[in-house]
Amino acid sequence: MTDISTASPPAAERGRTGPGTASRRLRLTSPAGWTTIVTTAALLIHTTLTAGVFLDIRYVLAALRTTGASGISPSETFAHRPFFYRWTIHALDSVTGGTDAVREALMRSAGLALCAAAGLLLHRALRRRMPGRDALLVAGLTALTLAFAPVIDYLQPEWFALVLAAVAVAAALGVRDRSRAVALAALPLALAVLMKYSTAGTAAMALLVVFAVDRARGLLLAAATAVGTGALFAFSAWSGSRELQWLRDMPYINTHALGNGPVVLPDLLLRTAYYLGDRTALTPVLALLPGALLLFAATLPARRQRVEAALVTLLLVVLGLAVVVYQGNWFAYHGESLPVVAAALTGLAIGRWYGAHGRPPLCLTVLALLYGVLAPLLAFVRADVDTAALAGLAWAAALLAAAADLLRARADRPGAEAPGAEAPGARGRRVPVALPVLALVACLAATVWPASGVRIIEGTIVTTNAELTEQARSAETAARQVDAELPLGAPVLYLTFGQQAYYIDHPTACRYPFPTFFNVPRQLTEVPSLESTREDVRCITQEHPAAYAVYQPSWLSLGVIDPRIAADIRRTYACPAPRGRQLVVCRARR
């Protein structure tokens, strides 16, 4: 694909779109440019100040803070996330301060800075291989998709892996010397793999992009990444005494992973279709993908290039979905790479369309704006929405919109020059590039509104942004009630989910601050024999256990977990009846 808008353009074309088209550049000083900048900044500030972080992130933060207060380093703390991700979150958390809300806003701000840095590096690299407008659209929309990621995605391992993958692609394609480019790109790509191990799929997507542009660099980067990943993993295993143990034990508590049960292909395909529907309802920019591919392919001069573009896009989608299917939990953030692919391809298609026709693809642009407006309205329907069918309709609408744009272009220019050539003026119609960008920003910002869904499962909006905020307030209130019963700074044993401990913030001496290995059904008979489970049990049965335990009955039901573990808890701690409370304080039997 080195010759489909990725080959290095002539010097006269770098950073500009050609003679007579200055008004169609993404000019930041134009009224449309200022409107786009101000609107984007306002929406980003709004989500930074109001969204907070998802409960998974609070889980990790609580694990690191409560064990850190007892002198246990992130290397030795079980937080259901690998070594490098734990240290990444710890590094972000260490530069914050103030109340929980302030610290979360600062962490989100740091995330925005990472998005901006990745976007700038990617833009600088792409300018060497395509016109400046196309480079700006691809890099800018990639960064904005990450910046506007729903709260369920933001700062997750998959999100960091995408940021690192963008940096790796920028290094691989932007540095002239091939050996230096591969060496620079291998480190962030190896770190992307180690954010969660399953994020190897994200690294593979980045490798595919590099390979599609430059075969030699792609192959060399794959080899260098394999070596770098092995070296970094060895370092993590050496630095954290339990890293290999946790990697070995964690699959036993993920019963949904592919291979842990019989595969029924029709059911798997149906669940995948529903997942795609749910993910599209969450981030509607994903619905633009087929239309963007059609428009992009239409600007390519050769059939071979069009086929190759379609195959590469299909492989990117398959890789993004494979990660979701393999883990089997169908969590939204497992598919965070899909909207990034869609947004980047849409940006490339719009840039190429301007180059070929001198104006935006109007129908697809209007559809992007429409999706941004309609997606948050799904919250008023809430249940019984067939998101698989709805997403199918949305994807078909994007194809129809792109086809309409093609027909309009052919009707206006019956004697058009070869695809990919620069249009001289499109019969005097001058539409600033900032306007379709503004429509895409509205589509990306569908994730920030209070009524927008955060958790959508098989067509049901389980939680909206507003409800997630209310749940956090409820958890904080319950934690404050418990905190009032505990002596100041007293070490405790947590029998809770991490979000509850996030607000309590008392130290714990157990490297497994939240006993995830306890919280499995008794049918999983192998889990009690795991070394991680036995270590968790020793936190309870040791000679001098913590004087207090904080217990969350709704999360750790003693009637559901392994009876032997439940008996150990009852022998060690006396817990009062919940009487409707989320949390209770248990006292050690001494």
Side-chain angles (χ1 to χ4, degrees), residues 286-298 310 313 345 353 361 363-365 367-368 371 391-407:
L286 182 55
L288 301 177
L289 179 62
L293 176 59
L294 178 59
L295 292 182
F296 173 54
T313 303
L345 183 59
W353 197 257
C363 297
L364 191 68
T365 299
L367 191 65
Y371 285 166
L393 291 174
W395 286 46
L399 275 174
L400 289 175
D405 283 319
L406 282 171
L407 291 175

Side-chain angles (χ1 to χ4, degrees), residues 254-287:
N254 182 14
T255 58
H256 305 289
L258 198 66
N260 284 353
V263 176
V264 182
L265 187 59
D267 292 345
L268 187 64
L269 292 175
L270 182 62
R271 188 64 189 88
T272 303
Y274 269 111
Y275 178 85
L276 262 178
D278 296 340
R279 184 71 229 198
T280 303
L282 182 65
T283 48
V285 71
L286 182 55

Side-chain angles (χ1 to χ4, degrees), residues 278 382-387 455-463:
D278 296 340
R382 297 306 299 255
D384 300 324
V385 176
D386 189 338
T387 51
R455 295 179 64 228
I456 306 175
I457 301 176
E458 295 190 10
T460 299
I461 296 182
V462 177
T463 313

Side-chain angles (χ1 to χ4, degrees), residues 121-122 124-126 128-129 164-189 203 206-222 224-225:
L121 290 172
L122 191 58
R124 183 176 180 181
L126 294 180
R128 295 186 59 243
R129 296 177 176 269
L164 290 164
V167 172
V169 170
L173 300 181
V175 177
R176 291 183 183 276
D177 182 78
R178 181 183 293 169
S179 299
R180 187 182 301 173
V182 168
L184 288 174
L187 177 60
L189 208 54
L207 285 171
L208 177 59
V209 170
V210 175
F211 179 79
V213 176
D214 189 316
R215 304 289 195 261
R217 291 190 186 217
L219 292 173
L220 288 172
L221 181 57
T225 300

Side-chain angles (χ1 to χ4, degrees), residues 218-235:
L219 292 173
L220 288 172
L221 181 57
T225 300
V227 173
T229 300
L232 288 177
F233 177 76
F235 174 79

Side-chain angles (χ1 to χ4, degrees), residues 53-425:
V53 298
F54 194 59
L55 53 88
D56 288 357
I57 313 301
R58 290 180 182 140
Y59 176 103
V60 177
L61 288 169
L64 298 175
R65 291 175 185 176
T66 56
T67 55
S70 295
I72 303 174
S73 81
S75 301
E76 300 293 329
T77 299
F78 179 83
H80 217 286
R81 295 290 186 264
F83 176 92
F84 285 103
Y85 179 76
R86 297 197 303 272
W87 275 104
T88 300
I89 287 294
H90 174 72
L92 280 182
D93 190 40
S94 65
V95 297
T96 66
T99 64
D100 290 327
V102 171
R103 298 182 79 170
E104 290 182 9
L106 289 173
M107 290 189 71
R108 290 190 67 93
S109 298
L112 289 182
L114 292 175
C115 293
L120 289 172
L121 290 172
L122 191 58
H123 172 246
R124 183 176 180 181
L126 294 180
R127 275 177 62 94
R128 295 186 59 243
R129 296 177 176 269
M130 61 177 65
R133 175 191 50 221
D134 298 8
L136 186 56
L137 285 169
V138 173
L141 287 172
T142 297
L144 285 175
T145 306
L146 292 167
F148 281 116
V151 65
I152 196 171
D153 294 346
Y154 204 79
L155 302 181
Q156 292 275 17
E158 288 79 0
W159 184 92
F160 277 109
L162 282 163
V163 173
L164 290 164
V167 172
V169 170
L173 300 181
V175 177
R176 291 183 183 276
D177 182 78
R178 181 183 293 169
S179 299
R180 187 182 301 173
V182 168
L184 288 174
L187 177 60
L189 208 54
L191 286 173
V193 174
L194 296 174
M195 284 294 103
K196 197 182 171 186
Y197 306 131
S198 61
T199 48
T202 301
M205 295 170 77
L207 285 171
L208 177 59
V209 170
V210 175
F211 179 79
V213 176
D214 189 316
R215 304 289 195 261
R217 291 190 186 217
L219 292 173
L220 288 172
L221 181 57
T225 300
V227 173
T229 300
L232 288 177
F233 177 76
F235 174 79
S236 70
W238 171 77
S239 299
S241 62
R242 305 296 198 278
E243 208 67 24
L244 291 175
Q245 174 186 312
W246 292 336
L247 179 62
R248 183 182 63 250
D249 288 356
M250 279 192 292
Y252 288 96
I253 59 178
N254 182 14
T255 58
H256 305 289
L258 198 66
N260 284 353
V263 176
V264 182
L265 187 59
D267 292 345
L268 187 64
L269 292 175
L270 182 62
R271 188 64 189 88
T272 303
Y274 269 111
Y275 178 85
L276 262 178
D278 296 340
R279 184 71 229 198
T280 303
L282 182 65
T283 48
V285 71
L286 182 55
L288 301 177
L289 179 62
L293 176 59
L294 178 59
L295 292 182
F296 173 54
T299 65
L300 302 177
R303 181 180 179 183
R304 177 188 62 81
Q305 295 172 335
R306 293 191 286 272
V307 171
E308 188 175 359
L311 286 176
V312 169
T313 303
L314 179 62
L315 282 173
L316 288 172
V317 172
V318 168
L319 282 170
L321 281 174
V323 174
V324 180
V325 173
Y326 172 73
Q327 293 177 88
N329 293 309
W330 309 104
F331 295 152
Y333 58 85
H334 290 168
E336 162 68 0
S337 60
L338 296 173
V340 174
V341 171
L345 183 59
T346 302
L348 182 58
I350 290 174
R352 294 277 305 192
W353 197 257
Y354 264 98
H357 304 288
R359 63 169 182 263
L362 180 62
C363 297
L364 191 68
T365 299
V366 171
L367 191 65
L369 180 61
L370 187 63
Y371 285 166
V373 172
L374 292 179
L377 300 181
L378 285 175
F380 297 101
V381 181
R382 297 306 299 255
D384 300 324
V385 176
D386 189 338
T387 51
L390 192 63
L393 291 174
W395 286 46
L399 275 174
L400 289 175
D405 283 319
L406 282 171
L407 291 175
R408 288 180 68 248
R410 289 175 181 173
D412 288 348
R413 300 173 60 191
E417 52 267 20
E422 188 67 45

